Amino acid sequence: MDELFKITTNQLFAVGSLDCETQSSYLIRVRATDQGQLSYEKPFVITATNVNEAPSSVALIPDSIPENASLGTTIGTLITTDIDGDNVFRYEFVTGAGSDDNSLFNILGDELKTNSSFDFDVKKLYTVRVRAIDLGGLSVEQQLFVNITNVNDPPTASFSSSSCT
């Protein structure tokens, strides 16, 4: 078993990082031995303090919308992965790789909504770049894809008038 703590001279050190999400407290026993080989042992509880870790990814679920949906239609919910668990996130568009279509969408809370109407026959895939920011101010940026799905368009007919002579 790997040691988590070590004593050097008269100081106790953690060997590596302690992860509060995995284990928040550790019970150790310290023995002090004098020159005459007499010893004294005492148990200690070491408590790992939680620190805020940055979120690791952001996703859009679902990530598709039918063509010709009205303006303001919700495409999906932004879901952020963060080891800290029950965190609250703020979302915003950012420039960078994959931000080509940011202006065609808007974010309201944790929902991605349309700012435009989309036609499957013109373009099937749009990209946005979103930043998720946790309560501690740490963030992650991610390129997300929005798929436009085809719907059965009603047939159209055109008539031309011709005169017979």
Side-chain angles (χ1 to χ4, degrees):
M1 180 175 161
D2 293 333
E3 291 184 12
L4 294 175
F5 300 95
K6 72 176 183 175
I7 297 175
T8 302
T9 314
N10 63 349
Q11 294 182 322
L12 177 68
F13 294 96
V15 177
S17 298
L18 304 179
D19 183 5
C20 184
E21 282 79 22
T22 304
Q23 185 172 346
S24 61
S25 64
Y26 301 84
L27 178 61
I28 64 169
R29 185 179 271 315
V30 175
R31 177 184 298 147
T33 305
D34 67 12
Q35 293 173 340
Q37 299 304 313
L38 297 175
S39 63
Y40 175 76
E41 289 186 15
K42 182 171 182 179
F44 290 93
V45 175
I46 307 296
T47 303
T49 303
N50 191 22
V51 295
N52 186 32
E53 285 100 0
S56 57
S57 68
V58 101
L60 176 64
I61 301 174
D63 63 357
S64 63
I65 186 168
E67 68 177 331
N68 304 322
S70 60
L71 298 179
T73 299
T74 299
I75 298 160
T77 302
L78 297 165
I79 307 291
T80 301
T81 303
D82 191 330
I83 195 170
D84 292 318
D86 60 343
N87 215 328
V88 176
F89 301 94
R90 181 171 44 91
Y91 298 96
E92 63 189 18
F93 289 116
V94 291
T95 58
S99 66
D100 304 338
D101 302 314
N102 284 3
S103 65
L104 301 175
F105 302 91
N106 69 69
I107 298 171
L108 182 60
D110 64 354
E111 294 180 331
L112 185 67
K113 295 182 172 280
T114 61
N115 263 356
S116 187
S117 183
F118 303 100
D119 184 347
F120 177 85
D121 298 316
V122 173
K123 188 174 177 181
K124 299 169 182 60
L125 184 67
Y126 292 83
T127 60
V128 294
R129 187 167 189 85
V130 174
R131 177 184 293 143
I133 306 160
D134 70 13
L135 290 172
L138 299 178
S139 64
V140 63
E141 292 180 14
Q142 190 113 20
Q143 176 183 0
L144 303 173
F145 299 94
V146 177
N147 296 288
I148 307 304
T149 58
N150 197 14
V151 297
N152 191 10
D153 295 322
T156 58
S158 61
F159 298 98
S160 62
S161 65
S162 62
S163 58
C164 296
T165 55

